[in-house]
Amino acid sequence: MERIILHSDLNSFYATVECLHNPEIRDKPVAVGGSVEQRHGIILTKNILAKKHGIKTGEAIWQAKQKCPGLVVLPPNYKLYLYFSKEARNIYNYYTDIVESFGIDECWLDVTESSKLFGSGKKIADEIRERMKNELGITCSIGVSYNKIFAKLGSDIKKPDATTVITHDNFKKKVWPLPVSDLLYVGRATCKKLMNIGVYTIGDLANLNIGFLKKYLGKWGEYLWTFANGFDETPVAKSDFDSVIKGIGNSMTTPRDLVNNEDVKILLYVLSESVAERLRRHNFKSKTIQIYVRDNELQSFDRQAQLSDYSCISNVIAQKAYEIFLKNYTWEKPIRSIGVRATDLITADTNVQLSIFDDEKHKKKKEQLEYSIDEIRKRFGHYSVQRALFLKDKDLNANPIEDNIIFPISYFR
Amino acid sequence: MKKISAEVIAHFNLDGEIIPLKIKMNVDGEDKVYCVDRPSKPVKGASLKIGVQGNRYSCLIDGKRVFLYQNHENKWFVEI
């Protein structure tokens, strides 16, 4: 049976929520941006009026203000956005239990079965839109189709507050004329490659020979070809589907540039503590540590190394990270942003090979200590127990766990 | 349309429903207490005019039909 899949996209989500709460700015160009002082000063979302001035997501706030002097820039309020995202999911859950989030403001819904109860896909989509407007005061555009890719494309075609239906009969007319860059997973690099061989629209891509495309783009060529022809059969993951964690990482853009090893050491410890805490919270131990460094001219690189043993101790992770850093950075430029990531995970209670050269008792003791610190922090707050190292520069200290940001997870799992 | 913050005395029944009984709000610089008559069951609702989203009660205050909102931070607002 043909599936009915909805893709709902909350229109300029952050900006709409802010406008809802501040009626006086509704008729002005509004953008939500990070804090300039903390150097996160880029546009996160803009409303339709701001879009008309040519403001783009991701550009610096000062650039945006040049384009549009009257722009109202508001700081983000993630708690509020999360609340609205959850309420929106509650509405989706009324219609189906198969809801898959893709970032904070997008969801796929599989309503194949529930269409017997609630009517056609278009009817459900219109009802969801109406409820969003009445109950949450925000708008969404919904794409209705028989696969996830076309549903997502559909939600982009008409904005805001609209339903687009893409069927077997009309996809050639609706989807194929779109530029190929609109397709999921056609980024800047792939787009350029496709342009080189004269592929400008999704239709061009669909009509290519699959064998040729596979040779030209590798495995991705085949995927993209299936996407373009609507042959994609990826299921919508269930709402209570917990994705498998493959790695845990934190990164930070610092309030000031890092200029020496001492600064980097402080930051690596801050990040490692948070990574280690999250490892313990999810009952993991990791063997491979990666660091990510970006200098003040936005050049970045990743390096990784293995630990001698699986671990969730912040000291071990931080020392390894610092070691990798010293080996790989020559201080040609100051550093703007830095990250630590732990991959190669096993669950913490798996049996592991002990070593006769290491002091296993000491290791166990350290682990216990860290668990105790977690307990203390849970009761008295993150800053109740601190490393003395962090007192050296208070600006660099932070709690990355609480400033968590949600990214869309990969389409393939 | 005006958005007025209000203090509320409410009845929490055994089903966990909240039924507002009295509200105190500042009208024209003067604190006044009103009875909330015939409050409806709450529904989710948003008002773009005053910029509120949350549980909405439709009720009679001083003989007039008004909306009473409880937002996600448990703050109450009257839309007049």
Side-chain angles (χ1 to χ4, degrees):
Chain A
M1 195 180 130
E2 188 175 283
R3 298 186 297 165
I4 305 173
I5 299 204
L6 270 53
H7 181 268
S8 163
D9 184 353
L10 305 177
N11 302 127
S12 37
F13 181 47
Y14 296 174
T16 313
V17 172
E18 293 297 341
C19 284
L20 166 65
H21 286 84
N22 307 294
E24 61 279 2
I25 58 166
R26 198 165 300 140
D27 309 320
K28 294 176 184 157
V30 177
V32 177
S35 126
V36 177
E37 287 77 39
Q38 296 232 315
R39 305 203 306 168
H40 303 176
I42 57 161
I43 304 289
L44 299 169
T45 342
K46 70 275 166 196
N47 70 356
I48 295 167
L49 284 167
K51 204 183 235 168
K52 276 189 192 145
H53 284 86
I55 289 165
K56 289 189 186 105
T57 302
E59 72 184 348
I61 290 175
W62 61 267
Q63 280 175 320
K65 284 212 166 143
Q66 269 178 355
K67 285 184 193 167
C68 170
L71 184 72
V72 183
V73 181
L74 297 164
N77 180 352
Y78 283 111
K79 266 199 187 138
L80 189 64
Y81 308 148
L82 279 178
Y83 162 78
F84 271 86
S85 172
K86 218 181 87 204
E87 288 291 309
R89 272 196 78 125
N90 282 341
I91 294 180
Y92 304 145
N93 279 335
Y94 180 84
Y95 297 95
T96 172
D97 60 334
I98 311 173
V99 182
E100 179 184 351
S101 303
F102 194 62
I104 191 168
D105 60 343
E106 293 181 26
C107 273
W108 274 292
L109 290 73
D110 187 333
V111 294
T112 315
E113 298 297 326
S114 24
S115 60
K116 290 165 197 156
L117 272 174
F118 298 106
S120 70
K122 185 173 187 311
K123 189 159 166 270
I124 295 177
D126 288 340
E127 222 172 291
I128 289 177
R129 281 196 302 118
E130 204 51 42
R131 282 186 68 177
M132 284 281 184
K133 256 189 295 184
N134 291 336
E135 296 179 17
L136 300 183
I138 56 179
T139 57
C140 62
S141 29
I142 301 184
V144 184
S145 189
Y146 57 95
N147 68 55
K148 279 165 82 178
I149 298 295
F150 282 180
K152 184 163 166 53
L153 281 169
S155 70
D156 284 336
I157 287 176
K158 227 160 130 199
K159 282 179 173 180
D161 194 20
T163 309
T164 308
V165 185
I166 294 172
T167 59
H168 278 295
D169 305 323
N170 74 2
F171 80 91
K172 282 185 186 165
K173 212 171 81 207
K174 279 200 170 162
V175 173
W176 282 13
L178 296 174
V180 72
S181 55
D182 281 5
L183 199 63
L184 197 63
Y185 282 102
V186 178
R188 226 182 307 165
T190 315
C191 187
K192 214 172 148 195
K193 268 190 187 171
L194 289 172
M195 293 265 193
N196 283 342
I197 53 167
V199 173
Y200 296 99
T201 64
I202 295 177
D204 293 343
L205 182 70
N207 288 321
L208 278 183
N209 181 305
I210 182 172
F212 165 72
L213 208 54
K214 214 169 152 186
K215 249 187 213 149
Y216 189 60
L217 294 174
K219 190 174 85 181
W220 285 103
E222 202 175 345
Y223 282 135
L224 293 179
W225 186 83
T226 12
F227 286 177
N229 279 298
F231 297 146
D232 177 53
E233 296 217 327
T234 328
V236 178
K238 250 205 169 143
S239 55
D240 50 358
F241 179 83
D242 248 335
S243 57
V244 185
I245 300 177
K246 285 186 175 165
I248 287 179
N250 274 111
S251 70
M252 220 164 103
T253 300
T254 48
R256 62 170 176 82
D257 280 342
L258 308 176
V259 289
N260 54 35
N261 286 338
E262 200 55 39
D263 288 345
V264 171
K265 194 172 174 186
I266 295 178
L267 215 39
L268 285 177
Y269 270 89
V270 170
L271 294 167
S272 303
E273 277 213 343
S274 137
V275 169
E277 192 180 328
R278 284 171 60 205
L279 281 173
R280 291 191 295 270
R281 194 185 291 168
H282 293 287
N283 195 30
F284 279 129
K285 281 183 179 178
S286 139
K287 193 160 186 181
T288 306
I289 305 299
Q290 302 179 331
I291 63 163
Y292 148 85
V293 177
R294 170 135 83 161
D295 66 32
N296 64 355
E297 279 170 26
L298 307 182
Q299 297 278 351
S300 64
F301 66 86
D302 289 79
R303 292 289 178 273
Q304 66 176 41
Q306 290 224 323
L307 295 170
S308 58
D309 194 6
Y310 286 98
S311 177
C312 59
I313 302 169
S314 55
N315 253 347
V316 176
I317 295 174
Q319 271 161 16
K320 187 48 105 181
Y322 192 46
E323 193 188 307
I324 305 170
F325 174 79
L326 289 181
K327 234 186 244 170
N328 289 294
Y329 205 68
T330 46
W331 284 114
E332 270 150 21
K333 280 172 214 141
I335 292 172
R336 181 187 167 89
S337 141
I338 201 162
V340 175
R341 202 158 50 225
T343 56
D344 199 358
L345 305 178
I346 55 161
T347 44
D349 29 24
T350 323
N351 300 323
V352 287
Q353 174 65 51
L354 302 180
S355 158
I356 47 169
F357 304 112
D358 292 344
D359 186 354
E360 294 290 338
K361 245 188 198 160
H362 182 66
K363 225 190 267 168
K364 192 88 208 158
K365 224 172 169 181
K366 273 205 155 162
E367 257 173 43
Q368 287 304 332
L369 177 68
E370 299 240 329
Y371 277 110
S372 316
I373 292 176
D374 289 349
E375 279 300 306
I376 294 171
R377 284 188 169 164
K378 213 159 104 192
R379 284 179 65 179
F380 302 108
H382 179 81
Y383 296 102
S384 56
V385 188
Q386 290 284 296
R387 282 172 192 276
L389 177 70
F390 297 165
L391 296 174
K392 271 193 175 168
D393 195 329
K394 284 197 176 133
D395 289 343
L396 297 182
N397 196 359
N399 180 9
I401 292 187
E402 270 173 27
D403 313 330
N404 228 341
I405 296 166
I406 306 106
F407 294 108
I409 18 172
S410 164
Y411 186 73
F412 300 98
R413 308 214 214 203
Chain B
M1 285 292 171
K2 266 199 303 188
K3 174 183 184 178
I4 303 173
S5 307
E7 290 179 40
V8 172
I9 295 176
H11 170 71
F12 288 62
N13 72 11
L14 288 177
D15 295 329
E17 291 167 347
I18 303 171
I19 301 145
L21 302 176
K22 279 186 175 178
I23 58 167
K24 184 166 106 180
M25 55 184 183
N26 193 307
V27 187
D28 306 327
E30 203 183 327
D31 277 341
K32 280 186 183 164
V33 177
Y34 294 95
C35 280
V36 178
D37 298 324
R38 288 170 37 202
S40 68
K41 290 252 173 195
V43 289
K44 288 268 178 220
S47 166
L48 291 174
K49 285 177 192 132
I50 61 165
V52 180
Q53 189 277 335
N55 290 323
R56 184 178 66 200
Y57 297 79
S58 153
C59 54
L60 289 174
I61 288 175
D62 209 8
K64 270 183 271 175
R65 179 140 305 275
V66 298
F67 286 134
L68 194 58
Y69 286 92
Q70 178 201 18
N71 81 356
H72 65 284
E73 290 171 315
N74 283 326
K75 288 182 188 160
W76 292 76
F77 298 96
V78 185
E79 183 182 88
I80 299 180

